[in-house]
């Protein structure tokens, strides 16, 4: 493993600027890392030739004095973003060979700022999952291992490939999407930093639609500062997405380290759930102590409806998914399986094209939207969603940001929880409220558990206040001084 | 709320345009019933005077001039079609 792959984005930008190495060399080092860590199955499509071409162009721009915010930085892209230079599969058989004729707004912004695309990463099919087990292209393996057993672990999901490749140092950062925790939970499981911004901060144009009122793009990196840089690049108003906000993007790369002095940090008691391991409880307390030592005031707050987020989510999201995924009909793009007539063709195409979990969600969504059940399920869930937003509004009258664990557990062995969908759904118990309410939220590594596996802390703030999320996150990062490397890399170095 | 029967699940599969054999319908009925039962906990919450929330984005929908601003590239539109001819998608015969 080359030293270049261990740099932060910030340090790499400085190295490029000082001509210590070129973007081509930086990119080649990451291509080598991508190839030597193929056992993780983190990528669905590798794009080394494109990456080297973009890197060469980047070197020319830098030499010409036109360096962008991410000039020459090799990044990975979750395979939910449409890219015109590589297929976009959403990890589904139904889109296995889909070649988008256009580029998503978020990826376009990264390329405009000089970033290099190294590959498209693996995910749960249509981002529906918390383990990366539902991918048509096979599961992703977490670069981290437990010191208590020898089993391969999940990287979390749905953005499992993006989290794994940033952790394994085959990309300096990666794009993810987060509908209910799909960036934050895998960030926690892989010892990386992952942020989902405010709903409306990043354009959804060109992202494969899952649950449109919840889907948000976000980023993974290994430091809070790198996340601030990447998010700054890919945020901003887009007339092509009617829910994209026309609000100026702040210069987070200059405000992320403004500290927490005088800030009030809320600890919502409802996040203390039964059966949560003591070490997570302890880390949470430790996180609060760190912030207190840095000059913040810690206040206890209450969010009585937070515990209803998961069941409400599993009505709202499948409802929207059943509608969004109706477009896969075997006519305009994607897989087609011939049938006896048009309806038979639709039914056979969708039966063969979608995996088990996607079908389950389409069916639940179809049911909760059907005549006679709409009010009891769908409207009820939307009312609960309102109550969760009200909870957030109330707590943000008392504090500036919230601190919780990201997940009630750590990375678990591959194959576990597959026979119990509800157990899998509860993976997102701490991340779901911010998704339903559209709040910005980030996971930052806080330490390792007794088995040597990463644990994340989650920071949430008011809509459009990513700055507070970054400031609190940076303070945690500084205090935690998380320098542990995944076993995959320490093994390779040994 | 009452449990879904195999026939109910068959109807849902039909609405969702998903072909399913009998054994799968049975398996899915069990799994969906388990999830619907778990959702019942939402009924603990009194929501009588709560307005449903449809969108969290605190954004007024933008208006634009009613003019064509995209299009004119049928080849690109059809580039992923499983079957196409002379600028059209091809589907199985629907009118006898």
């Amino acid at each position: 493993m080359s030293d270049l792959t261990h740099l932060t984005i910030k340090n790499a930008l400085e190295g490029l600027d000082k001509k210590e190495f070129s973007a081509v060399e930086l990119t080649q080092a990451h291509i080598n890392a991508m190839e030597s860590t193929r056992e993780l199955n983190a990528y669905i499509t590798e794009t080394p030739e494109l990456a080297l071409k973009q890197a060469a162009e980047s070197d020319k721009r830098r030499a010409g004095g036109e360096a962008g915010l991410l000039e020459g930085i090799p990044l990975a892209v979750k395979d939910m973003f449409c890219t015109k230079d590589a297929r976009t599969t959403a990890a589904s058989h139904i889109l296995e060979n889909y070649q988008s004729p256009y580029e998503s707004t978020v990826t376009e912004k990264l390329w405009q700022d000089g970033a290099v695309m190294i590959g498209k990463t693996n995910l749960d099919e249509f981002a529906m999952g918390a383990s990366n087990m539902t991918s048509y292209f096979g599961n992703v393996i977490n670069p981290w291992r437990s010191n208590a057993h020898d089993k391969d672990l999940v990287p979390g999901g749905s953005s499992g490939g993006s989290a794994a490749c940033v952790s394994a140092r085959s990309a300096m950062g990666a794009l993810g999407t987060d509908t209910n925790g799909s960036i934050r939970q895998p960030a926690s499981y892989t010892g990386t930093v992952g942020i989902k911004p405010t709903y409306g901060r990043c354009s959804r144009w060109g992202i494969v639609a899952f649950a449109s009122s919840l889907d948000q793009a976000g980023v993974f990196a290994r430091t809070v500062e790198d996340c601030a840089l990447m998010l700054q690049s890919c945020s901003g108003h887009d007339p092509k997405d009617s829910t994209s906000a026309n609000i100026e993007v702040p210069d987070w790369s200059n405000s992320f380290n403004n500290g927490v002095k005088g800030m009030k940090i809320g600890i919502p008691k409802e996040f203390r759930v039964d059966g949560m391991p003591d070490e997570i409880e302890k880390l949470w307390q430790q996180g609060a102590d760190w912030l207190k030592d840095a000059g913040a005031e810690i206040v206890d707050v209450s969010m009585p409806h937070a515990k209803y987020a998961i069941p409400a989510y599993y009505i709202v999201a499948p409802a929207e998914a059943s509608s969004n995924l109706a477009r896969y009909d075997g006519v305009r793009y994607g897989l087609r399986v011939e049938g006896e007539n048009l309806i038979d063709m639709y039914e056979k195409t969708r039966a063969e094209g979608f995996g088990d979990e996607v079908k389950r969600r389409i069916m639940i969504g179809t049911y909760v939207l059907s005549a006679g059940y709409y009010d009891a399920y769908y409207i009820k869930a939307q009312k609960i969603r309102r109550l969760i937003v009200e909870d957030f509004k109330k707590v943000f009258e008392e504090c500036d940001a919230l601190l919780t664990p990201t997940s009630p557990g750590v990375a678990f062995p591959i194959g576990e929880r597959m026979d119990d969908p509800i157990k899998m759904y509860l993976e997102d118990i701490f991340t779901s409220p911010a998704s339903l309410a559209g709040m910005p939220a980030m996971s930052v590594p806080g330490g390792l558990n007794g088995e040597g596996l990463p644990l994340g802390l989650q920071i949430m703030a008011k809509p459009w206040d990513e700055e507070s999320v970054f400031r609190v996150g940076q303070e945690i990062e500084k205090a935690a001084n998380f320098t542990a490397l995944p076993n995959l890399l320490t093994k390779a170095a040994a | 709320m009452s449990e879904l029967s195999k026939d109910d699940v068959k109807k849902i599969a039909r609405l969702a345009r998903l072909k399913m054999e009998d054994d799968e319908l049975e398996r899915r009925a069990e799994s969906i019933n388990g999830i619907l039962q778990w959702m019942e906990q939402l009924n603990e919450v009194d929501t009588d005077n709560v307005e449903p929330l449809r969108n969290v984005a605190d954004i007024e929908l933008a208006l634009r001039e009613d003019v064509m601003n995209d299009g004119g590239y049928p080849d690109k539109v059809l580039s992923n079609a499983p079957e196409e001819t002379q600028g059209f998608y091809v589907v199985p015969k629907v009118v006898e």
Side-chain angles (χ1 to χ4, degrees), chain B residues 9-72:
Chain B
V9 176
K10 193 171 183 173
K11 196 181 144 207
I12 299 168
R14 182 76 180 169
L15 286 171
R17 296 283 183 253
L18 291 165
K19 185 147 223 131
M20 260 173 217
E21 302 303 328
D22 272 9
D23 55 334
E24 186 175 356
L25 290 172
E26 259 164 50
R27 183 167 62 80
R28 293 216 174 258
E30 196 188 330
S31 145
I32 293 172
N33 278 323
I35 292 167
L36 293 177
Q37 206 179 2
W38 167 72
M39 286 167 177
E40 297 282 306
Q41 60 180 292
L42 294 181
N43 294 326
E44 294 164 22
V45 186
D46 177 5
T47 53
D48 282 354
N49 296 308
V50 180
E51 192 62 25
L53 181 73
R54 294 194 172 81
N55 198 341
V56 291
D58 197 12
I59 295 166
E60 295 222 358
L61 285 181
L63 298 175
R64 64 166 177 85
E65 291 300 310
D66 186 14
V67 289
M68 194 175 85
N69 61 6
D70 195 9

Side-chain angles (χ1 to χ4, degrees), chain A residues 23-24 27 31 34 45-58 61 74-75 77 83-87 99 103 107 111 114-120:
Chain A
V24 168
T27 298
I31 292 171
M34 178 166 71
T45 306
E46 298 180 354
T47 56
E49 285 158 27
L50 172 71
L52 288 170
K53 185 174 150 252
Q54 286 176 325
E57 286 162 6
S58 169
R61 279 193 301 269
L75 301 176
V77 174
T83 49
K84 58 183 187 318
D85 294 313
R87 66 177 171 163
Q99 178 51 62
E103 188 77 21
T107 48
W111 317 144
V116 167
M117 181 166 88
I118 191 141
K120 307 274 308 268

Side-chain angles (χ1 to χ4, degrees), chain A residues 30 88 113 139 158 180 183 189 227 265 267 274 283 400 445:
Chain A
H30 286 86
T88 301
D113 277 335
N139 63 276
S158 67
N180 197 38
I183 288 175
Y189 282 13
C227 277
I265 311 294
I267 307 291
D274 289 344
L283 175 70
D400 304 299

